[in-house]
Amino acid sequence: MYPRPIPETNRSARAAYVTLVTAVLVLWLLPLVTVMLTSLRSFEEVMAGNYWGWPKSFNLVENYTAVFKQTALARYFANSLIITLPSVLGVLILSTLTGYVLSRHRFPGNRLVFALFVGGNFLPAQIMMIPVRDLMVGIGLYDTFFALIIFHTAFQTGFATLFMRNFIAALPDELFQAARAEGASPWQTLWHVVVPLIRPALAALAILTFTFVWNDYFWAIVLTQSDAVKPVTAGLNNLRGEWVSAWNLVAAATIMVAIPPVAMFFLMQRHFIAGLTMGAVKG
Amino acid sequence: MMRLWRRHRHWLAPTLFILPGALLFGIVIILASVQTIWVSFFDWDGVGPMQWVGLANYEQLAEDPQFYVSLKNNVIWLGMFMLAPPLGLALALLLNQAIAGMKFLKSMFFVPLVLASVTVGVVFTWVYDPTFGLLSLIYGWFGATAPALLSDEHLVSFAVVIAALWPQVAFCLVLFLAGLNNLNEDLIGAGRVDGARGSAMLLHVVLPQLREVSFIALAVTVIGALRSFDMVAVMTSGGPFGSSTVLAYQMYEQSIFSYRFGYGAAIATVLFAIMAAFIAWYLRTLLRPEQETA
C-alpha cells in the first residue's frame, strides 16, 4: 500500500490521522453543511442575517413542509422521476443489446460503430442542441416528458454501450463456445448466458445513468418550458428566482434536489464506484 | 419462413439487437451533431425559412469581441481545471489508509461528485454573496470587505471555475483512489527494500503505475472543462456584461434568446472542432492497446 499504512499499534498516530481527515472533510463539505443548516432556520432568523452561525431554532418539519406546500417542488420532483426511471430502463435494455453484439459478433464496421458510440458520448451537448430541439418541436414532443426521455436514453446509450461492450468482452470465452456447441440461438445465448452474468454491470449502469439524468440541467431548459414537465434541476433554478429572500426555503429545496442521487450513491456505493472507474479505467 | 429465419438468424438476430440502440444514437446524437454544421451555413431564426449565407456566420464570428471573451474564458476553464487531477491525487494520498471509519469518511468526500451542477451553483452563489456569504464572513474576521466576485468582470470566471472544481476534484479523487488500490504490492515492496521513500517512491514507483488512471483523470477533466455550461448558466448567466460566457453558453444564448440559430450553430461547430481534436486523440490512445493484441 502507498502511502505506507499507519501501524495498528500506533494508536495515537491513528487518532491524530482520523482527526486530521475529519477536519479536512469538514472544510471540504462546509458549503454544503451550511446550506443544510440554513434549511433549518426560521424565516425571522434569515431576515436577521444569521446565515452561517448555528441555527437558533430548528424548523426541519416547518421548512420542508412549506417548500412542498408553497412551491411547485413536489411537481418537479415527480417530473424528474417520470423522466429518469424510464430513461434508465431504456438505457439498460439498449446497451445490453448493443454491447452484446459489439463484443461477441464480428462484422465489418464493428470497430467504427463502437468508436461512434464512444466518441458521440463525449460530444458537447451544444453541438446537437439545435437539431434535437427542432426534431422534438417537429414531431410534437417539445415540452413533454417524451422529449427528455428519448434524448437521455439516446445519449446515455453511448456511455452505456462502451461499458457493456467491455464488460461482456471480459466474460470467459468458453461460455459462448459452449452455447454455440449446443446450438443456442443468439437470443438464447443473450438471455441464458449473458444476462445472468452482467447483473453487477446492470446495477452499476443503473445508478450511474440515474445520477446523470437526474442531474441534467441543460436539456431540461432546452426541451421543456412548463412547470408540468420541468424536472427538479430547472425547477430549483426557478424557485431561486421566485423566492429570493426566503433562503431557508430555497436551501431546503436545494437539499431535497440533492437527496435522491446522494441516497442512491450511499445505497449502491460499491456499484457506483466500480462503474465509474471501470467505465473510465478499463475504457 | 421459419427455415429462412433459422438459416439467417446468425446474422439477422445480431442486426436486430443492435438496430434500436444504433438507430436512436445515430439519429439523435450523431446525425444531429452533423446537422448543426450544416445549419451553421444559414441565417435562421429557428422558425422561418433558412437562408443560405455560406461562411458569413464564421466571418462575423471572427469579428465578434464576445466570441473572444468566450474563447478566453474557455482557456481559463481548461487551465484551472488542470488543478483537479493533482488535487484529486493529493486527497487520494491523504485518504488511502485502511483504518476503521475511513470507508465512511472517504465516501463523504465523494459527495460533491453526485450533486447536480445546479446544486453546486446555488451553494457557491451563497458562498460568494458579498453581504451575507461565507466568504464575506471570513473576510469580516480580518476586518476586510469581501470582493463581489460574481459581479466583478475580472474575477467572475475564476470564481465560477473554483466552484466547478469542487465536484471535479472529487471525480479525480475517486479515480486515483481506485488506482492506488490496484498498485502492484511487489513493486512497492521492492521500492521499500531499495530504500525509496516519500516523494522518490511517489515519483519513481507509484506514479508510473498510475499512468492509465492519470490519463483518464486528465481526459475527463479536459472534457468537463470544455463542456462547462451549467455553472455559468446558474451562477452568472454569462454576466456581468457577458464577461463570464464560454462558447457553450454563448451558443445557447445566441440561439435561444436572440433567435440566431445559424450563428449559434457556427459557435457550436467551433466548440465541436476543438472537442473533436481532443476526442480523436483520446480514442486513439484508448483503442491502441487492443489493436496491438488483436
Side-chain angles (χ1 to χ4, degrees):
Chain A
M1 248 178 104
Y2 184 87
R4 191 185 286 269
I6 302 169
E8 231 167 289
T9 43
N10 195 341
R11 285 270 172 90
S12 56
R14 289 203 149 196
Y17 170 76
V18 173
T19 316
L20 171 73
V21 168
T22 312
V24 175
L25 178 63
V26 170
L27 280 177
W28 179 246
L29 290 183
L30 193 62
L32 192 63
V33 171
T34 48
V35 171
M36 248 154 145
L37 288 179
T38 297
S39 76
L40 303 175
R41 296 176 207 283
S42 66
F43 191 63
E44 291 73 34
E45 199 177 323
V46 174
M47 289 319 268
N50 182 15
Y51 289 106
W52 305 98
W54 196 249
K56 291 196 185 65
S57 60
F58 289 89
N59 300 274
L60 177 89
V61 181
E62 293 92 315
N63 286 355
Y64 283 81
T65 340
V67 86
F68 274 107
K69 278 199 175 146
Q70 296 173 25
T71 73
L73 189 70
R75 181 71 251 170
Y76 299 142
F77 229 82
N79 294 345
S80 268
L81 284 175
I82 294 172
I83 292 160
T84 308
L85 297 180
S87 304
V88 171
L89 189 68
V91 169
L92 292 185
I93 295 171
L94 292 181
S95 64
T96 303
L97 292 168
T98 54
Y100 168 59
V101 175
L102 287 174
S103 62
R104 291 288 160 186
H105 291 270
R106 283 163 185 272
F107 59 91
N110 181 316
R111 188 167 283 275
L112 175 72
V113 174
F114 182 56
L116 281 176
F117 272 117
V118 179
N121 144 69
F122 290 123
L123 291 172
Q126 288 73 27
I127 188 70
M128 54 199 97
M129 181 193 98
I130 295 171
V132 168
R133 192 171 179 278
D134 202 41
L135 173 76
M136 295 304 175
V137 172
I139 55 179
L141 293 182
Y142 175 75
D143 203 24
T144 68
F145 293 128
F146 292 107
L148 283 171
I149 294 172
I150 291 173
F151 179 81
H152 286 310
T153 307
F155 187 71
Q156 299 300 338
T157 295
F159 170 77
T161 297
L162 159 72
F163 190 93
M164 273 301 180
R165 178 208 172 262
N166 288 341
F167 195 92
I168 299 174
L171 295 177
D173 225 11
E174 295 77 40
L175 289 171
F176 292 91
Q177 282 162 6
R180 212 169 303 141
E182 291 190 16
S185 69
W187 172 254
Q188 285 167 328
T189 313
L190 177 67
W191 190 247
H192 295 292
V193 179
V194 177
V195 171
L197 291 171
I198 58 170
R199 292 223 177 102
L202 288 173
L205 266 185
I207 160 91
L208 284 176
T209 312
F210 179 92
T211 312
F212 294 154
V213 175
W214 182 277
N215 287 347
D216 162 70
Y217 176 67
F218 180 73
W219 293 100
I221 59 173
V222 168
L223 294 179
T224 69
Q225 214 167 19
S226 53
D227 272 1
V229 199
K230 217 169 251 186
V232 268
T233 44
L236 175 64
N237 208 39
N238 275 16
L239 288 186
R240 205 166 58 119
E242 285 167 36
W243 297 73
V244 190
S245 55
W247 276 30
N248 53 346
L249 294 193
V250 179
T254 308
I255 297 297
M256 284 313 300
V257 174
I259 283 178
V262 172
M264 285 286 271
F265 167 72
F266 274 100
L267 284 176
M268 301 177 69
Q269 193 186 345
R270 207 166 44 87
H271 289 300
F272 186 92
I273 291 178
L276 208 57
T277 48
M278 190 172 69
V281 175
K282 285 235 175 141
Chain B
M1 191 66 200
M2 201 58 204
R3 281 221 354 229
L4 203 68
W5 166 251
R6 280 189 159 272
R7 179 141 15 111
H8 292 287
R9 76 177 178 194
H10 66 99
W11 65 270
L12 259 180
T15 310
L16 287 178
F17 287 170
I18 203 173
L19 220 51
L23 274 182
L24 190 64
F25 195 79
I27 293 171
V28 179
I29 309 301
I30 305 289
L31 210 63
S33 301
V34 177
Q35 216 182 329
T36 296
I37 303 173
W38 178 244
V39 172
S40 75
F41 300 118
F42 290 86
D43 190 32
W44 187 35
D45 63 2
V47 196
M50 292 166 75
Q51 171 104 35
W52 176 267
V53 291
L55 291 174
N57 283 323
Y58 292 96
E59 283 159 15
Q60 208 183 343
L61 200 57
E63 281 159 23
D64 184 350
Q66 190 61 48
F67 172 65
Y68 293 101
V69 173
S70 303
L71 217 50
K72 185 196 81 189
N73 284 331
N74 268 118
V75 173
I76 293 178
W77 272 82
L78 201 57
M80 281 185 71
F81 252 46
M82 286 304 129
L83 289 173
L87 287 175
L89 176 62
L91 261 184
L93 289 173
L94 170 71
L95 297 178
N96 194 31
Q97 291 282 347
I99 296 180
M102 276 312 288
K103 228 178 156 181
F104 173 73
L105 289 177
K106 274 185 219 165
S107 24
M108 292 301 285
F109 273 93
F110 302 157
V111 163
L113 174 60
V114 290
L115 297 179
S117 43
V118 180
T119 312
V120 176
V122 172
V123 167
F124 270 85
T125 311
W126 280 334
V127 169
Y128 292 148
D129 189 291
T131 28
F132 303 115
L134 187 60
L135 207 64
S136 76
L137 188 78
I138 295 169
Y139 269 73
W141 289 338
F142 299 101
T145 318
L149 288 176
L150 294 182
S151 37
D152 182 313
E153 13 186 327
H154 301 293
L155 298 175
V156 62
S157 273
F158 295 96
V160 176
V161 181
I162 287 173
L165 269 173
W166 194 37
Q168 193 65 35
V169 171
F171 195 171
C172 293
L173 166 66
V174 172
L175 294 176
F176 280 116
L177 269 178
L180 287 175
N181 268 317
N182 285 327
L183 288 182
N184 184 334
E185 288 298 325
D186 296 343
L187 283 177
I188 304 282
R192 290 222 163 94
V193 170
D194 287 344
R197 353 182 11 181
S199 59
M201 179 79 135
L202 180 66
L203 269 177
H204 302 297
V205 183
V206 175
L207 280 185
Q209 292 190 56
L210 292 178
R211 259 186 54 186
E212 208 184 344
V213 177
S214 309
F215 166 70
I216 302 296
L218 190 70
V220 293
T221 302
V222 171
I223 291 169
L226 292 175
R227 267 191 181 167
S228 53
F229 169 88
D230 294 7
M231 303 289 288
V232 175
V234 170
M235 294 180 74
T236 67
S237 304
F241 315 115
S243 58
S244 63
T245 56
V246 286
L247 289 177
Y249 189 79
Q250 195 190 353
M251 179 272 161
Y252 167 80
E253 197 183 33
Q254 286 296 326
S255 318
I256 302 288
F257 296 145
S258 309
Y259 303 103
R260 300 177 66 195
F261 283 80
Y263 197 57
I267 302 173
T269 306
V270 171
L271 181 63
F272 171 64
I274 298 171
M275 204 83 159
F278 178 76
I279 295 172
W281 168 75
Y282 178 79
L283 280 183
R284 241 189 48 195
T285 321
L286 192 83
L287 297 174
R288 196 184 312 148
E290 265 186 61
Q291 269 165 348
E292 276 165 13
T293 54

